[in-house]
Amino acid sequence: MKNQLSLSALLISEAIFSGISAKPNVDKTTKLQVRPNILFCIADDASYPHFSANGSHWIKTPSFDRVAREGILFSNCYTPNAKSGPSRSCVLTGLYSWQAREAGNHVTNFPADLKVVTEALAENGYDIAFTGKGWAPGNPGITPDGKPRQLTGKAFMKEKLTPPTMGISPINYASNFSDFLNENNGKKPWFFWFGSHEPHRSYEFGTGEKIGLKTKGMIDDFPLFWPDNDDVRTDMLDYGYEIEYFDKQIQKMMSELEKRGLLENTIIVITSDNGMPFPRSKANDYEYSNHMPLAIMWKNGIIKPGRKIIDFVNFVDFTPTFLDVSKTNPKKFGMQQPSGKSLRNIFFSEKNGLVDSSRNYLLLGRERDDYGRPDNQGYPIRAIIRDNFIYINNMKPNLYPAGDPETGYLDCDGSPTKTVILNMKREGKDTKFWDFSFGFRKSEELYNLANDKFCMNNLAEKPEYAKQKQAMKKQLFEQLKKQKDPRMFGKGDVFDKYPFDENENWNFYEKVIRGEIKEPWKITKWVNPSDYDTYYYQNKK
């Protein structure tokens, strides 16, 4: 009987979305005919392992865990590009960053003719709004009538609070969400983007212990690519405390939805834009960079909650999913056809584990992130994951992957961990950690993720893995050609020619080298002055 009912519900769901009338279960049909609200919750710089439903023992995320328990936990979700602006562009367009022109870069100008999913939803009757960090950093541009373009809708920022640490935003996310619900008042279905500023840096050093009441010994999965000492562990605890703060805001928002009777027909998505803001994580193409947490709950739509799905899911899948559940045709509303696939069949399945066998690989990459390399260059990478392996093609291995030493390694946020690693090299104590995060890399990398999740043992030059590497490279380049990636046609340098969002950042490296910018560390606030090798050696006692 149970299987019959579940199959009936599935058929009803499919019927509704395909426009076929169905009557086996009137209540279920009625619920699904009402287009769902969408609450999209995105952390700023949080890696997959650091949510308790994903196995973390030292960071507790009860809201994420609840959404996973009452919805679906996705264990193989990846962002195609592990940097804030381009990652968020993938969410909003359903395109890979190499398909999104300027939007594939960081701190850039968003293409005026590239329509995003929130704009299409707005034209199809949805109320669109956000609090915190929307699409950023960069210049979203203006609308045809000269108004600032709102890629994530109307801003709700009025409500403030006294944050528990100096590193946490004073924006009262939950109260701003309540203000939005009051204004909406049930008049339209809605899409609300909660863009937390946490756990983005900077942190108030030691607050993970003082306020979060954590101890350094709690960290039981320490990455092998950092030196294991008190400063680095303290830094990690401060990061973990901010993830827990992010999670608490979601709990408040869910309580508000329950109080208003809106929880059942609201799709709640919880994820992060890219990996933790530490060396060899954010702005790279490794597990800690691109593997993202993802839990989705939809009481009216997910057939069998509590499942853990191992299908590969990509950020380019969000846009087609939102278009699908909102009954919004991308072509009708002027969007470029998304490259991703809707998650609808996973929502309406009863399967655990693997649902869609075609989801058996992922594509990753990056172009130019922050400025600071000669000739305004980025560090182009393309990568593919399949069969528990990741193959990485570093297209310009002659460049520094995290940016140049003279300009502070600007692709890596300043942090106690970064300082420890830089100082170890400068003082001649140990260079291997610097090599992992800041040194030149081989043109090809291959890692077995089943037994090397930290991506430490490069197998690319080992003869026994030659066939594996070649097969993955072939598939990667074939897919990139289908997607018209400029790098596949000798036109990849276009990404280095796109302007930054601020003109003064153009030729930053050359200006520093020529001495035109005397104290560049006063401009680049996201790194420490001592991250600049010039500053360090000038001020060393």
Side-chain angles (χ1 to χ4, degrees):
M1 182 66 175
K2 179 180 177 182
N3 288 340
Q4 283 184 315
L5 289 174
S6 299
L7 178 60
S8 175
L10 178 60
L11 290 172
I12 293 164
S13 303
E14 293 290 348
I16 291 167
F17 279 89
S18 62
I20 302 170
S21 62
K23 298 181 181 179
N25 185 325
V26 175
D27 291 338
K28 185 71 174 179
T29 304
T30 301
K31 288 178 180 179
L32 284 173
Q33 282 177 335
V34 178
R35 294 191 296 173
N37 306 310
I38 302 168
L39 174 59
F40 185 75
C41 309
I42 185 166
D44 198 354
D45 300 356
S47 291
Y48 170 86
H50 302 134
F51 291 72
S52 42
N54 291 337
S56 177
H57 298 111
W58 60 280
I59 300 176
K60 302 301 181 184
T61 53
S63 298
F64 181 86
D65 300 353
R66 178 187 174 186
V67 170
R69 185 174 60 251
E70 299 181 21
I72 299 174
L73 178 65
F74 292 84
S75 61
N76 281 313
C77 174
Y78 287 73
T79 176
N81 192 313
K83 194 74 170 182
S84 184
S87 179
R88 292 162 191 256
S89 295
C90 294
V91 172
L92 288 166
T93 63
L95 302 174
Y96 291 97
S97 52
W98 48 87
Q99 297 177 303
R101 308 196 307 277
E102 295 97 324
N105 283 351
H106 197 56
V107 290
T108 190
N109 302 294
F110 201 90
D113 61 340
L114 187 58
K115 199 165 189 177
V116 298
V117 65
T118 46
E119 292 170 324
L121 290 178
E123 292 178 19
N124 198 27
Y126 268 69
D127 205 353
I128 312 295
F130 81 104
T131 191
K133 181 177 179 179
W135 177 83
N139 171 25
I142 58 174
T143 61
D145 57 358
K147 296 179 181 178
R149 193 174 178 193
Q150 296 176 316
L151 296 179
T152 49
K154 180 180 178 180
F156 280 76
M157 303 287 193
K158 182 179 69 174
E159 306 295 341
K160 306 293 183 183
L161 50 69
T162 301
T165 77
M166 291 185 295
I168 287 176
S169 171
I171 298 172
N172 191 329
Y173 305 117
S175 292
N176 284 313
F177 179 54
S178 296
D179 286 351
F180 163 73
L181 292 176
N182 289 336
E183 182 177 294
N184 174 271
N185 197 29
K187 295 189 291 286
K188 295 181 178 181
W190 48 261
F191 178 105
F192 191 88
W193 175 295
F194 162 39
S196 175
H197 286 283
E198 293 74 36
H200 194 286
R201 292 188 184 275
S202 58
Y203 309 143
E204 187 176 332
F205 191 74
T207 49
E209 291 177 291
K210 295 173 187 175
I211 303 177
L213 303 179
K214 299 185 182 299
T215 63
K216 299 179 185 71
M218 287 181 175
I219 302 173
D220 56 359
D221 196 18
F222 191 91
L224 300 178
F225 41 78
W226 302 327
D228 191 349
N229 63 29
D230 284 353
D231 281 353
V232 177
R233 284 183 174 259
T234 299
D235 201 14
M236 291 181 69
L237 293 179
D238 297 343
Y239 154 84
Y241 175 71
E242 292 209 1
I243 291 179
E244 293 185 348
Y245 183 85
F246 161 69
D247 190 81
K248 288 176 183 176
Q249 312 317 302
I250 298 172
Q251 188 277 323
K252 294 176 182 177
M253 293 180 180
M254 291 177 68
S255 294
E256 189 68 21
L257 291 173
E258 286 184 302
K259 184 176 71 175
R260 296 171 183 255
L262 297 174
L263 189 63
E264 285 73 14
N265 201 40
T266 297
I267 298 176
I268 300 175
V269 180
I270 307 178
T271 189
S272 174
D273 58 353
N274 48 251
M276 61 197 302
F278 285 67
R280 202 179 163 88
S281 179
K282 177 182 177 181
N284 284 276
D285 273 71
Y286 299 120
E287 269 289 284
Y288 265 58
S289 318
N290 296 72
H291 195 173
M292 293 293 98
L294 178 62
I296 301 178
M297 184 172 84
W298 181 18
K299 288 185 174 292
N300 278 1
I302 290 176
I303 297 299
K304 185 179 178 183
R307 289 178 288 139
K308 184 175 182 179
I309 299 301
I310 65 171
D311 299 52
F312 281 128
V313 173
N314 198 305
F315 272 27
V316 298
D317 297 331
F318 286 133
T319 278
T321 301
F322 299 150
L323 293 171
D324 198 345
V325 299
S326 65
K327 304 179 180 66
T328 303
N329 185 313
K331 185 176 181 180
K332 177 181 177 182
F333 292 97
M335 287 191 71
Q336 187 170 328
Q337 185 63 37
S339 291
K341 298 191 300 183
S342 173
L343 300 173
R344 181 186 76 173
N345 65 325
I346 296 177
F347 293 167
F348 296 160
S349 172
E350 291 195 339
K351 293 181 180 178
N352 276 299
L354 183 66
V355 175
D356 183 351
S357 60
S358 69
R359 291 182 175 273
N360 55 15
Y361 70 94
L362 286 162
L363 303 180
L364 317 175
R366 64 178 281 203
E367 282 295 336
R368 192 180 64 202
D369 290 334
D370 292 301
Y371 44 89
R373 289 190 188 84
D375 300 318
N376 303 295
Q377 293 180 91
Y379 190 80
I381 300 175
R382 299 293 184 269
I384 184 170
I385 298 177
R386 78 172 201 199
D387 302 327
N388 282 323
F389 281 82
I390 180 170
Y391 166 77
I392 301 170
N393 190 286
N394 298 309
M395 296 180 167
K396 292 189 178 182
N398 60 308
L399 300 178
Y400 285 102
D404 281 57
E406 298 90 344
T407 47
Y409 310 95
L410 293 182
D411 278 349
C412 179
D413 295 2
S415 67
T417 301
K418 182 179 180 181
T419 299
V420 165
I421 293 172
L422 293 180
N423 286 345
M424 287 177 74
K425 180 179 184 293
R426 290 162 175 167
E427 295 166 9
K429 294 178 180 177
D430 197 334
T431 64
K432 69 175 180 291
F433 295 112
W434 185 92
D435 290 337
F436 291 148
S437 295
F438 305 109
F440 293 117
R441 293 174 181 163
K442 298 286 187 179
S443 61
E444 294 182 301
E445 300 176 74
L446 180 70
Y447 301 99
N448 185 342
L449 299 178
N451 56 31
D452 184 17
K453 63 184 177 182
F454 297 128
C455 299
M456 304 290 285
N457 182 23
N458 186 6
L459 306 172
E461 295 180 356
K462 294 187 180 297
E464 60 267 37
Y465 291 97
K467 289 184 178 179
Q468 175 83 25
K469 182 185 77 171
Q470 191 56 36
M472 294 182 75
K473 181 177 181 178
K474 182 176 183 288
Q475 183 180 8
L476 170 63
F477 281 23
E478 285 176 350
Q479 291 302 313
L480 294 174
K481 286 176 182 176
K482 288 180 181 178
Q483 294 173 7
K484 297 181 172 57
D485 179 355
R487 289 279 172 202
M488 297 297 103
F489 303 97
K491 300 177 181 180
D493 287 344
V494 66
F495 293 105
D496 300 330
K497 292 179 170 59
Y498 290 131
F500 294 107
D501 60 334
E502 297 179 358
N503 292 333
E504 55 265 34
N505 298 332
W506 193 251
N507 294 328
F508 182 81
Y509 175 87
E510 286 78 10
K511 292 174 184 176
V512 171
I513 297 301
R514 291 195 298 260
E516 295 176 24
I517 300 177
K518 302 296 183 183
E519 297 176 306
W521 40 87
K522 292 185 177 179
I523 298 173
T524 54
K525 303 292 187 182
W526 67 93
V527 301
N528 300 324
S530 62
D531 292 354
Y532 284 80
D533 274 354
T534 304
Y535 178 96
Y536 173 81
Y537 288 114
Q538 286 176 348
N539 293 274
K540 185 180 179 184
K541 296 180 181 179

